[in-house]
Amino acid sequence: MHKQTCILLTAFEPFGGAETNITQSILSLLPDSFADWAVEKVCLPVSFKRAPIVLREAIATYSPDLVIMLGQCPAGENIRLERFAINIMDSTKADNDGYIPNEETIYAYQPLALQTPLQIKELVNFCTGNVLPIQISNSAGLYVCNRVYYEALHLQQNALFVHVPKNMDLTLAQQTIAQIMKNLLY
Ligand code: PCA
């Protein structure tokens, strides 16, 4: 039998002493299927060490056709589609395990940056034409979001990382993410 197309959708738990993470709320609001597509939802720990392991397990379990990863960013008006993941972990603030990396390479002898294989420019043009608040970003930072994005692209997944500003209106954020997913699927 033909396997149903599967989207792995990830979000993150709260971090840095906060009680919520907007991406967790978006995850719970999005449907478990889009037409014929199954949406598998996974919440990742904000841990440099554990997050890539949880992601790998989810990829092994679901063999997704598309991986959409959501992360919270501190500020901004727009949802940011990340073009690259960088092969470095660096931070001034601890992750949820108390770990603070200092310019550590993720994988030795691997590319400094990996690029999403998805056509994000087309996606942004379509969505901004429809007045959705999105833009391309060329850096996902060097914290846990970038770490898991590097993992997904290193595993040659059809992956896109999407940063959502912390204070964005939840309904608008959820509608925009749903539109991004539909555009990538249809
Ligand atoms: N944002 C952080 C990690 C978890 C999250 O939601 C980041 O941008 O790296």
Side-chain angles (χ1 to χ4, degrees):
M1 209 175 71
H2 208 69
K3 175 181 161 284
Q4 194 184 17
T5 306
C6 170
I7 309 158
L8 174 61
L9 181 65
T10 70
F12 276 104
E13 66 185 8
F15 63 105
E19 276 172 16
T20 56
N21 185 321
I22 191 170
T23 65
Q24 230 176 5
S25 315
I26 296 170
L27 196 71
S28 61
L29 288 173
L30 284 167
D32 292 322
S33 63
F34 274 103
D36 279 351
W37 289 283
V39 180
E40 300 293 349
K41 300 174 179 179
V42 173
C43 189
L44 300 173
V46 181
S47 159
F48 282 100
K49 223 180 235 161
R50 292 181 290 124
I53 297 172
V54 176
L55 177 70
R56 269 180 183 267
E57 283 169 359
I59 288 171
T61 304
Y62 301 118
S63 305
D65 302 280
L66 178 66
V67 183
I68 305 286
M69 317 176 80
L70 308 178
Q72 174 180 293
C73 60
E77 301 275 292
N78 292 336
I79 283 185
R80 300 156 71 95
L81 307 187
E82 300 294 349
R83 199 193 301 264
F84 301 113
I86 299 171
N87 191 6
I88 297 175
M89 298 181 281
D90 187 63
S91 180
T92 50
K93 43 186 194 285
D95 69 7
N96 284 355
D97 294 337
Y99 186 66
I100 305 178
N102 182 16
E103 293 192 328
E104 276 175 46
T105 299
I106 298 173
Y107 289 123
Y109 312 113
Q110 293 299 311
L112 178 59
L114 295 174
Q115 185 174 357
T116 177
L118 297 168
Q119 300 298 318
I120 55 173
K121 205 161 175 181
E122 271 177 23
L123 185 59
V124 167
N125 289 342
F126 176 86
C127 287
T128 46
N130 285 279
V131 294
L132 289 174
I134 73 171
Q135 67 180 76
I136 292 178
S137 157
N138 290 316
S139 172
L142 300 175
Y143 197 53
V144 180
C145 291
N146 174 72
R147 173 64 187 89
V148 291
Y149 197 20
Y150 198 91
E151 192 74 16
L153 295 175
H154 177 71
L155 293 170
Q156 300 192 319
Q157 295 296 302
N158 217 8
L160 176 62
F161 200 97
V162 179
H163 260 129
V164 183
K166 188 177 165 183
N167 296 323
M168 192 166 194
D169 176 76
L170 189 55
T171 307
L172 180 61
Q174 180 234 327
Q175 285 168 351
T176 306
I177 304 288
Q179 188 58 53
I180 290 169
M181 290 171 70
K182 283 184 189 146
N183 266 67
L184 289 171
L185 289 169
Y186 298 116

